[in-house]
Amino acid sequence: MRHVFTGIMAIAVIALSLAIITTPERKVEASSETYRQLNLFGDVFAKIREDYVEEVDDAKLIEAAINGMLASLDPHSSYLNPKNYQGMKVQTRGKFGGLGIEVTMENGLVKVVTPIDDTPAAAAGVQAGDYITHLDGEPVLGLSLSDAVEKMRGLVDTDIGLTIRRKGAKAPIELTITRAIITVQSVRGRLEDDDILYVRISSFTQQTNTGLRKTIRDLAEEAGGDYRGLILDLRNNPGGLLDQAIAVSDAFLEKGEIVSTRGREARDSQRYNATDDDVINGKPIIVIINGGSASASEIVAGALRDHRRAVILGTKSFGKGSVQTIVPLQGNGAMRMTTARYYTPSGISIQAKGIVPDIEVKQSRLEVLENGARRSEADLRNHLANGAEEDSATAEDEVAENEEIQDYQLLRAKDLLKGVSLFAKKAFN
């Protein structure tokens, strides 16, 4: 025998549990209007169970209702069923399965915040700002963000087709991407020009702060302890854990506020301050950002700029200035809910505005003019030799140089850091 509740009976249990909603240090009494709306929900729920053309699963109905309620608040609030909740916990630990893209929902479509470095999505050419309209030919419109993400995940080495709309492209772009285990190494680094530390943070996971300090220590040792400064690359970094963004900022600040968060109530506000520690001992920093830099990466850029600890170079960031809290629920699920906005040390919210760089540098492609427009002494026939052994660039050198100048923003960041370093040395001499 199938049990069928009437609208009033179905809602009675919900209304009873919600008559007094208690959270830590907070108690809210439900109004008569709240009861009326809950009663309406119960009527709809009962009617669907009784008369919908096909028998429906009660758990799925409730899950859809919860997710719809959260999704209606803002693009970053959602319900995580047990499977998605487990996947989220795996992702923040730095290893998960899928395509390797950070996404959000906008106007009913999946919008790519950024592809993650060295993943199938990045290799296939997915770009920040792309809109995914179809998955394996099926429209995304009508799906929740968690449903769309679930469809993109799957068995390793299986393919999925993505239909993408891209700004400036007249026709949809069709891509086939093979799923893989995504292992995110959130921090990478190398020496540039033998005396510039270049560190890229691709996301903020549990290992980011530890990885940053180790990378800087290793590069400084490789440079013999004498280097000009640091280029911190946060381009296409979608964010991640708030505590890691605070720790990364703290690595370069010796005092002052890093970030503050403000919730609905004044008592929910929190401030996070720096400790006496600068891992590069005051050397200059250039931070590179772009439209794919979001959330935690914007916290770092905002803190370092407000304290005049770094020059921000690149293009305007994404503008996600809200904090999401993961609240575990019964049944091993959870809800991701926006609970606060964050503010830079100067008290500015970048929500929907983004971080505007100090120096705007758009990514460009350079064309190297062979020999330039004018001739030099070396071009003249029978010119005198210098007397020293002449340099002859190898083909490998030319290839490396051409690869380097493709990253125009990095090239400009290096020039700027050299100038700042040179000025600082002259000022203290």
Side-chain angles (χ1 to χ4, degrees):
M1 177 179 177
R2 185 162 65 95
H3 296 282
V4 179
F5 296 92
T6 65
I8 295 176
M9 290 177 65
I11 204 61
V13 176
I14 303 174
L16 182 62
S17 63
L18 291 181
I20 297 179
I21 303 170
T22 304
T23 59
E25 300 181 356
R26 184 180 301 166
K27 183 179 291 186
V28 180
E29 294 185 1
S31 66
S32 58
E33 178 62 20
T34 303
Y35 285 114
R36 191 182 70 80
Q37 294 297 329
L38 288 172
N39 193 53
L40 173 61
F41 173 83
D43 289 340
V44 174
F45 179 76
K47 194 65 176 174
I48 292 172
R49 296 178 79 250
E50 293 172 9
D51 297 333
Y52 185 68
V53 65
E54 294 178 355
E55 189 170 349
V56 292
D57 183 89
D58 290 353
K60 288 185 177 180
L61 276 180
I62 295 296
E63 181 178 322
I66 295 171
N67 195 52
M69 177 168 54
L70 288 165
S72 69
L73 300 174
D74 63 75
H76 308 293
S77 296
S78 62
Y79 173 70
L80 302 170
N81 61 32
K83 186 175 181 180
N84 290 339
Y85 182 34
Q86 182 62 30
M88 185 222 59
K89 289 191 288 186
V90 170
Q91 180 171 341
T92 57
R93 286 196 295 267
K95 185 176 181 180
F96 59 97
L99 305 179
I101 49 177
E102 180 76 17
V103 295
T104 187
M105 185 69 78
E106 188 173 296
N107 299 325
L109 300 177
V110 174
K111 183 179 181 180
V112 177
V113 175
T114 182
I116 299 171
D117 291 349
D118 301 325
T119 61
V126 176
Q127 298 180 8
D130 284 349
Y131 286 90
I132 300 174
T133 62
H134 293 74
L135 297 170
D136 279 336
E138 296 294 325
V140 169
L141 200 62
L143 294 178
S144 67
L145 181 60
S146 58
D147 288 339
V149 169
E150 184 66 24
K151 285 182 176 291
M152 286 187 279
R153 290 175 178 167
L155 296 175
V156 175
D157 295 328
T158 59
D159 294 340
I160 183 172
L162 270 62
T163 303
I164 288 174
R165 282 284 186 180
R166 180 174 297 163
K167 185 178 180 180
K170 294 181 179 179
I173 300 170
E174 301 289 344
L175 297 175
T176 299
I177 304 178
T178 303
R179 297 180 179 94
I181 292 295
I182 309 300
T183 302
V184 179
Q185 182 182 346
S186 66
V187 181
R188 292 182 176 84
R190 63 177 183 266
L191 273 183
E192 290 282 344
D193 298 345
D194 297 326
D195 60 358
I196 293 176
L197 309 189
Y198 169 84
V199 176
R200 167 155 177 75
I201 301 178
S202 58
S203 62
F204 289 85
T205 67
Q206 290 176 359
Q207 298 87 21
T208 300
N209 181 47
T210 303
L212 171 74
R213 291 173 180 269
K214 182 179 185 303
T215 300
I216 289 177
R217 186 168 58 250
D218 292 345
L219 292 177
E221 185 177 332
E222 185 180 344
D226 184 20
Y227 56 92
R228 292 178 183 269
L230 168 71
I231 294 176
L232 184 62
D233 191 347
L234 299 178
R235 290 175 295 179
N236 294 328
N237 182 321
L241 299 176
L242 175 63
D243 66 325
Q244 293 296 303
I246 293 168
V248 168
S249 303
D250 192 12
F252 307 110
L253 296 173
E254 295 184 325
K255 61 181 180 179
E257 183 180 300
I258 294 173
V259 67
S260 63
T261 61
R262 305 177 197 173
R264 185 165 66 180
E265 303 292 338
R267 59 175 171 267
D268 295 330
S269 299
Q270 287 185 291
R271 295 181 184 276
Y272 301 89
N273 296 312
T275 56
D276 187 11
D277 177 30
D278 184 346
V279 295
I280 61 171
N281 299 315
K283 290 184 181 293
I285 303 172
I286 308 296
V287 177
I288 314 179
I289 61 171
N290 65 3
S293 306
S295 192
S297 55
E298 293 174 296
I299 290 176
V300 174
L304 296 183
R305 181 176 68 177
D306 283 3
H307 284 283
R308 298 186 178 183
R309 185 64 187 88
V311 176
I312 312 301
L313 179 146
T315 55
K316 189 172 76 169
S317 63
F318 186 78
K320 181 182 178 294
S322 59
V323 179
Q324 282 69 48
T325 300
I326 304 298
V327 182
L329 302 173
Q330 61 179 351
N332 298 319
M335 65 178 178
R336 179 195 287 117
M337 184 171 62
T338 300
T339 54
R341 290 182 175 88
Y342 69 74
Y343 294 78
T344 65
S346 60
I348 296 173
S349 170
I350 55 87
Q351 172 61 27
K353 291 183 179 180
I355 297 281
V356 178
D358 300 308
I359 301 175
E360 183 180 27
V361 177
K362 296 181 180 179
Q363 189 65 289
S364 305
R365 184 178 295 275
L366 291 179
E367 179 183 356
V368 178
L369 299 178
E370 296 295 336
N371 298 324
R374 298 183 180 183
R375 302 173 70 192
S376 68
E377 173 72 15
D379 296 322
L380 299 179
R381 181 180 298 178
N382 296 327
H383 69 274
L384 291 176
N386 178 268
E389 191 174 328
E390 294 189 7
D391 249 355
S392 59
T394 64
E396 289 81 5
D397 293 333
E398 292 177 5
V399 169
E401 182 181 351
N402 288 334
E403 287 179 351
E404 177 186 293
I405 65 174
Q406 297 308 312
D407 193 344
Y408 181 69
Q409 290 172 323
L410 177 57
L411 194 63
R412 296 281 68 80
K414 292 198 298 183
D415 289 342
L416 179 59
L417 186 61
K418 290 175 183 177
V420 171
S421 174
L422 182 62
F423 177 79
K425 284 183 179 179
K426 287 185 175 180
F428 287 103
N429 285 339

